[in-house]
Amino acid sequence: MWIYEKKLQYPVRVSKCDVRMARYLTEQYGGADGELAAALRYMNQRYTIPDKVIGVLNDISTEEFAHLEMIATMIYKLTKDASVQELEAAGLGAHFVNHDRALFYENAGGVPWTATYIQAKGDPLADLYEDIAAEEKARATYQWLIDMTDDVDLQDSLKFLREREIVHSLRFKEAVQIIIEERDQKKIF
């Protein structure tokens, strides 16, 4: 179903080791409004969405997995040269004890990812409005992450991701309009 190109959707560069920032980025890796939750939410919802907009959910879900890969790359690059003491000082001591330097789906507070982050009502409009809200929350989080770093290389990648959240929100709004217009059309049999 997919073709995997062995390159990131957008280049990820960081100019320095920054364990604190890596910890904050885990919010977008395994948080409630992060990339994993979004990808799984949309992939799941596509089974109860009208055929006219199923492609939107499929396309955006797939792209969210690409964003997850970008976030993982950022976290890896920000921590790869960090000492155990630096990890501990940034609040990642418990993570290191449990996972060493392996990425783990958790939020910035260290709370593990849970399926309760995924919403699926089965009503196309309810689900799409939930998706719009999820994209707007992710956009806001990316802006706050951009504001928390002075690394212009990292900011560049985060700005790309923030802009993609805006595009996703717009695509979901278009899907809402398509469903509303179809629902309001007079049916002639």
Side-chain angles (χ1 to χ4, degrees):
M1 185 166 170
W2 292 286
I3 296 172
Y4 177 68
E5 246 184 276
K6 292 188 178 192
K7 68 178 189 175
L8 295 175
Q9 183 182 12
Y10 189 84
V12 169
R13 294 179 301 278
V14 302
S15 59
K16 62 184 177 183
C17 176
D18 188 347
V19 181
R20 175 192 65 93
M21 196 63 200
R23 178 180 177 199
Y24 296 148
L25 282 168
T26 61
E27 189 64 35
Q28 291 301 86
Y29 192 68
D33 302 312
E35 303 295 352
L36 177 65
L40 295 175
R41 175 186 299 121
Y42 309 151
M43 190 62 68
N44 187 57
Q45 290 173 350
R46 67 189 279 269
Y47 292 98
T48 56
I49 204 87
D51 288 345
K52 282 191 172 187
V53 296
I54 195 170
V56 173
L57 286 158
N58 193 59
D59 292 350
I60 295 174
S61 173
T62 303
E63 187 173 342
E64 298 293 5
F65 282 117
H67 296 173
L68 187 68
E69 185 178 29
M70 288 176 65
I71 292 294
T73 301
M74 289 177 203
I75 294 168
Y76 169 76
K77 287 183 173 188
L78 289 167
T79 61
K80 71 181 177 112
D81 296 323
S83 68
V84 173
Q85 292 77 21
E86 289 172 312
L87 292 169
E88 190 172 18
L92 291 173
H95 175 92
F96 181 78
V97 167
N98 285 313
H99 310 288
D100 189 30
R101 293 174 190 275
L103 276 81
F104 184 75
Y105 295 109
E106 60 191 4
N107 68 16
V111 177
W113 185 89
T114 173
T116 59
Y117 293 161
I118 299 173
Q119 298 299 318
K121 190 68 175 171
D123 176 274
L125 291 176
D127 284 344
L128 287 167
Y129 282 121
E130 169 68 29
D131 299 343
I132 293 165
E135 293 296 323
E136 292 299 332
K137 290 185 277 185
R139 176 204 46 81
T141 302
Y142 278 122
Q143 184 59 56
W144 298 327
L145 289 165
I146 291 164
D147 294 344
M148 295 190 78
T149 184
D150 60 357
D151 184 334
V152 294
D153 289 330
L154 181 60
Q155 285 176 339
D156 179 59
S157 298
L158 292 171
K159 287 176 182 177
F160 170 82
L161 291 170
R162 179 195 61 199
E163 294 306 309
R164 294 307 302 160
E165 302 301 343
I166 293 168
V167 171
H168 295 169
S169 179
L170 291 171
R171 297 276 322 275
F172 285 138
K173 289 174 185 175
E174 291 167 0
V176 164
Q177 280 309 117
I178 290 168
I179 290 171
I180 289 172
E181 288 169 10
E182 185 166 295
R183 180 191 65 190
D184 292 345
Q185 284 181 353
K186 195 171 200 167
K187 306 289 189 236
I188 300 173
F189 298 96

